[in-house]
Amino acid sequence: LSLCTVGDVLFTGAQDCNIMIWDLNNLQYIGTLPGHGGAVKCMAAALSRKTLCSGSQDRTIKVWSLESFSCTKTFLGHRSEVNVLTILDSPEVLLSGSEDRSIRVWDIVSLTLLASLEQAHYSSIVAIEALRPGAFMTASSDRSIK
């Protein structure tokens, strides 16, 4: 369901609630990050913080250390499955979009919620794209872009 590369490592999220880790140099399986209670729908990596973030049908976002391969934080707040994650470099924030039509802004340094945009669209948020520092655009299944 989702893919994310960090250097020579590939992370794959699937319906079995796990994230599998692969070495791209030899296409060998490295390990598994368990912990979600639903399919892993999206992932994003913050290289400067050495973290991987994953969003799931279980309505959670997990922050994983790329050094210890362990979950360091679970963000709660979305009322439905998390469809998309995007990281902005400046400031260092994680943006999440959900079936619940909301967009949430998370500080990936302090691991706290900064803002919540409820009913950002008329239907589920399906894409978030960084435009420039501090600016982003969203797309929804309602066929609109904001």
Side-chain angles (χ1 to χ4, degrees):
L1 287 173
S2 59
L3 302 171
C4 184
T5 57
V6 178
D8 293 340
V9 178
L10 171 68
F11 296 90
T12 60
Q15 291 194 14
D16 68 0
C17 310
N18 294 315
I19 299 168
M20 296 181 76
I21 310 166
W22 304 89
D23 184 332
L24 288 175
N25 293 312
N26 56 21
L27 302 177
Q28 294 295 310
Y29 167 77
I30 297 172
T32 300
L33 302 177
H36 277 293
V40 179
K41 296 188 70 178
C42 52
M43 292 182 284
L47 299 179
S48 62
R49 306 241 48 93
K50 296 183 177 140
T51 58
L52 174 75
C53 301
S54 59
S56 172
Q57 283 180 332
D58 67 7
R59 303 184 314 249
T60 68
I61 299 163
K62 292 196 176 286
V63 180
W64 306 89
S65 165
L66 293 179
E67 295 176 322
S68 65
F69 292 109
S70 62
C71 181
T72 59
K73 180 77 173 182
T74 299
F75 291 137
L76 305 172
H78 284 293
R79 293 180 311 280
S80 190
E81 57 194 74
V82 180
N83 290 334
V84 60
L85 297 174
T86 299
I87 293 176
L88 299 182
D89 292 328
S90 180
E92 287 186 298
V93 295
L94 172 69
L95 304 172
S96 60
S98 171
E99 285 288 319
D100 66 12
R101 305 182 304 165
S102 74
I103 299 163
R104 297 192 189 280
V105 183
W106 310 90
D107 185 320
I108 57 174
V109 176
S110 66
L111 300 175
T112 58
L113 178 66
L114 296 175
S116 179
L117 307 165
E118 301 297 327
Q119 299 177 6
H121 283 271
Y122 292 113
S123 191
S124 59
I125 311 299
V126 295
I128 302 175
E129 186 67 33
L131 296 176
R132 60 184 180 280
F136 62 94
M137 64 188 299
T138 61
S140 169
S141 58
D142 67 13
R143 302 172 66 187
S144 69
I145 296 173
K146 294 183 179 181

mmCIF file of all heavy atoms in Angstrom, residues 83 98-101 121-127 138-145:
data_model
loop_
_atom_site.group_PDB
_atom_site.id
_atom_site.type_symbol
_atom_site.label_atom_id
_atom_site.label_comp_id
_atom_site.label_asym_id
_atom_site.label_seq_id
_atom_site.Cartn_x
_atom_site.Cartn_y
_atom_site.Cartn_z
ATOM 1 N N ASN A 83 -4.589 8.997 5.376
ATOM 2 C CA ASN A 83 -4.344 8.715 3.960
ATOM 3 C C ASN A 83 -2.998 9.193 3.446
ATOM 4 O O ASN A 83 -2.448 8.603 2.519
ATOM 5 C CB ASN A 83 -5.413 9.381 3.088
ATOM 6 C CG ASN A 83 -6.762 8.751 3.235
ATOM 7 O OD1 ASN A 83 -6.879 7.585 3.581
ATOM 8 N ND2 ASN A 83 -7.804 9.522 2.973
ATOM 9 N N SER A 98 -6.541 13.008 6.280
ATOM 10 C CA SER A 98 -7.322 11.847 6.680
ATOM 11 C C SER A 98 -8.651 11.742 5.936
ATOM 12 O O SER A 98 -9.120 12.695 5.323
ATOM 13 C CB SER A 98 -7.587 11.939 8.187
ATOM 14 O OG SER A 98 -8.491 10.973 8.636
ATOM 15 N N GLU A 99 -9.250 10.559 6.069
ATOM 16 C CA GLU A 99 -10.606 10.329 5.591
ATOM 17 C C GLU A 99 -11.596 11.236 6.310
ATOM 18 O O GLU A 99 -12.681 11.508 5.807
ATOM 19 C CB GLU A 99 -11.014 8.865 5.823
ATOM 20 C CG GLU A 99 -10.392 7.871 4.876
ATOM 21 C CD GLU A 99 -10.946 7.940 3.470
ATOM 22 O OE1 GLU A 99 -12.169 8.104 3.287
ATOM 23 O OE2 GLU A 99 -10.137 7.836 2.533
ATOM 24 N N ASP A 100 -11.242 11.702 7.522
ATOM 25 C CA ASP A 100 -12.146 12.550 8.301
ATOM 26 C C ASP A 100 -12.188 13.997 7.801
ATOM 27 O O ASP A 100 -12.806 14.849 8.426
ATOM 28 C CB ASP A 100 -11.806 12.499 9.795
ATOM 29 C CG ASP A 100 -10.449 13.114 10.146
ATOM 30 O OD1 ASP A 100 -9.834 13.796 9.304
ATOM 31 O OD2 ASP A 100 -10.000 12.885 11.287
ATOM 32 N N ARG A 101 -11.514 14.268 6.687
ATOM 33 C CA ARG A 101 -11.485 15.579 6.017
ATOM 34 C C ARG A 101 -10.593 16.598 6.719
ATOM 35 O O ARG A 101 -10.595 17.768 6.387
ATOM 36 C CB ARG A 101 -12.885 16.162 5.836
ATOM 37 C CG ARG A 101 -13.830 15.244 5.126
ATOM 38 C CD ARG A 101 -15.191 15.841 4.906
ATOM 39 N NE ARG A 101 -15.768 16.275 6.162
ATOM 40 C CZ ARG A 101 -16.813 17.077 6.255
ATOM 41 N NH1 ARG A 101 -17.388 17.541 5.177
ATOM 42 N NH2 ARG A 101 -17.290 17.435 7.433
ATOM 43 N N HIS A 121 -11.685 20.030 3.555
ATOM 44 C CA HIS A 121 -12.327 19.766 2.269
ATOM 45 C C HIS A 121 -13.704 19.169 2.534
ATOM 46 O O HIS A 121 -14.059 18.877 3.673
ATOM 47 C CB HIS A 121 -11.491 18.764 1.447
ATOM 48 C CG HIS A 121 -10.280 19.351 0.792
ATOM 49 N ND1 HIS A 121 -10.297 19.901 -0.461
ATOM 50 C CD2 HIS A 121 -8.999 19.445 1.229
ATOM 51 C CE1 HIS A 121 -9.079 20.307 -0.787
ATOM 52 N NE2 HIS A 121 -8.268 20.051 0.236
ATOM 53 N N TYR A 122 -14.462 18.962 1.467
ATOM 54 C CA TYR A 122 -15.791 18.342 1.594
ATOM 55 C C TYR A 122 -15.727 16.822 1.643
ATOM 56 O O TYR A 122 -16.719 16.163 1.948
ATOM 57 C CB TYR A 122 -16.703 18.780 0.448
ATOM 58 C CG TYR A 122 -17.063 20.244 0.514
ATOM 59 C CD1 TYR A 122 -16.608 21.129 -0.439
ATOM 60 C CD2 TYR A 122 -17.856 20.731 1.547
ATOM 61 C CE1 TYR A 122 -16.924 22.475 -0.377
ATOM 62 C CE2 TYR A 122 -18.171 22.080 1.629
ATOM 63 C CZ TYR A 122 -17.703 22.942 0.658
ATOM 64 O OH TYR A 122 -18.015 24.267 0.733
ATOM 65 N N SER A 123 -14.553 16.265 1.331
ATOM 66 C CA SER A 123 -14.373 14.820 1.360
ATOM 67 C C SER A 123 -12.954 14.524 1.853
ATOM 68 O O SER A 123 -12.234 15.425 2.281
ATOM 69 C CB SER A 123 -14.621 14.234 -0.033
ATOM 70 O OG SER A 123 -14.712 12.836 0.016
ATOM 71 N N SER A 124 -12.540 13.260 1.797
ATOM 72 C CA SER A 124 -11.262 12.851 2.369
ATOM 73 C C SER A 124 -10.070 13.533 1.697
ATOM 74 O O SER A 124 -10.088 13.833 0.507
ATOM 75 C CB SER A 124 -11.111 11.333 2.285
ATOM 76 O OG SER A 124 -11.175 10.911 0.949
ATOM 77 N N ILE A 125 -9.026 13.758 2.482
ATOM 78 C CA ILE A 125 -7.772 14.333 1.991
ATOM 79 C C ILE A 125 -6.965 13.177 1.403
ATOM 80 O O ILE A 125 -6.723 12.172 2.079
ATOM 81 C CB ILE A 125 -6.967 14.993 3.132
ATOM 82 C CG1 ILE A 125 -7.825 15.929 3.960
ATOM 83 C CG2 ILE A 125 -5.723 15.683 2.571
ATOM 84 C CD1 ILE A 125 -8.423 17.093 3.234
ATOM 85 N N VAL A 126 -6.551 13.313 0.143
ATOM 86 C CA VAL A 126 -5.834 12.219 -0.519
ATOM 87 C C VAL A 126 -4.401 12.585 -0.908
ATOM 88 O O VAL A 126 -3.612 11.702 -1.224
ATOM 89 C CB VAL A 126 -6.604 11.711 -1.761
ATOM 90 C CG1 VAL A 126 -7.930 11.082 -1.342
ATOM 91 C CG2 VAL A 126 -6.824 12.814 -2.774
ATOM 92 N N ALA A 127 -4.060 13.868 -0.868
ATOM 93 C CA ALA A 127 -2.689 14.278 -1.217
ATOM 94 C C ALA A 127 -2.345 15.591 -0.526
ATOM 95 O O ALA A 127 -3.205 16.460 -0.370
ATOM 96 C CB ALA A 127 -2.532 14.428 -2.725
ATOM 97 N N THR A 138 -3.263 20.913 -0.865
ATOM 98 C CA THR A 138 -3.928 19.644 -0.585
ATOM 99 C C THR A 138 -4.890 19.301 -1.714
ATOM 100 O O THR A 138 -5.398 20.180 -2.405
ATOM 101 C CB THR A 138 -4.719 19.710 0.737
ATOM 102 O OG1 THR A 138 -5.717 20.724 0.635
ATOM 103 C CG2 THR A 138 -3.804 19.995 1.905
ATOM 104 N N ALA A 139 -5.128 18.006 -1.859
ATOM 105 C CA ALA A 139 -6.118 17.521 -2.832
ATOM 106 C C ALA A 139 -7.058 16.577 -2.094
ATOM 107 O O ALA A 139 -6.669 15.913 -1.136
ATOM 108 C CB ALA A 139 -5.432 16.799 -3.985
ATOM 109 N N SER A 140 -8.294 16.552 -2.572
ATOM 110 C CA SER A 140 -9.321 15.762 -1.914
ATOM 111 C C SER A 140 -10.075 14.913 -2.919
ATOM 112 O O SER A 140 -10.093 15.200 -4.118
ATOM 113 C CB SER A 140 -10.299 16.715 -1.204
ATOM 114 O OG SER A 140 -11.439 16.038 -0.751
ATOM 115 N N SER A 141 -10.735 13.868 -2.389
ATOM 116 C CA SER A 141 -11.577 13.056 -3.257
ATOM 117 C C SER A 141 -12.844 13.816 -3.681
ATOM 118 O O SER A 141 -13.603 13.334 -4.492
ATOM 119 C CB SER A 141 -11.934 11.731 -2.590
ATOM 120 O OG SER A 141 -12.590 11.950 -1.375
ATOM 121 N N ASP A 142 -13.033 15.022 -3.144
ATOM 122 C CA ASP A 142 -14.129 15.882 -3.604
ATOM 123 C C ASP A 142 -13.776 16.598 -4.916
ATOM 124 O O ASP A 142 -14.536 17.418 -5.402
ATOM 125 C CB ASP A 142 -14.551 16.891 -2.531
ATOM 126 C CG ASP A 142 -13.486 17.934 -2.213
ATOM 127 O OD1 ASP A 142 -12.501 18.067 -2.953
ATOM 128 O OD2 ASP A 142 -13.642 18.623 -1.189
ATOM 129 N N ARG A 143 -12.594 16.272 -5.460
ATOM 130 C CA ARG A 143 -12.100 16.794 -6.735
ATOM 131 C C ARG A 143 -11.660 18.251 -6.652
ATOM 132 O O ARG A 143 -11.646 18.967 -7.639
ATOM 133 C CB ARG A 143 -13.130 16.594 -7.837
ATOM 134 C CG ARG A 143 -13.495 15.126 -8.020
ATOM 135 C CD ARG A 143 -14.626 14.909 -8.951
ATOM 136 N NE ARG A 143 -14.262 15.306 -10.281
ATOM 137 C CZ ARG A 143 -15.107 15.360 -11.294
ATOM 138 N NH1 ARG A 143 -16.359 15.012 -11.125
ATOM 139 N NH2 ARG A 143 -14.712 15.750 -12.475
ATOM 140 N N SER A 144 -11.242 18.684 -5.450
ATOM 141 C CA SER A 144 -10.750 20.048 -5.294
ATOM 142 C C SER A 144 -9.301 20.047 -4.811
ATOM 143 O O SER A 144 -8.823 19.091 -4.208
ATOM 144 C CB SER A 144 -11.614 20.835 -4.292
ATOM 145 O OG SER A 144 -11.424 20.342 -2.977
ATOM 146 N N ILE A 145 -8.633 21.143 -5.125
ATOM 147 C CA ILE A 145 -7.257 21.386 -4.681
ATOM 148 C C ILE A 145 -7.263 22.713 -3.954
ATOM 149 O O ILE A 145 -7.834 23.700 -4.430
ATOM 150 C CB ILE A 145 -6.280 21.424 -5.867
ATOM 151 C CG1 ILE A 145 -6.243 20.056 -6.566
ATOM 152 C CG2 ILE A 145 -4.886 21.827 -5.411
ATOM 153 C CD1 ILE A 145 -5.427 20.041 -7.842
#
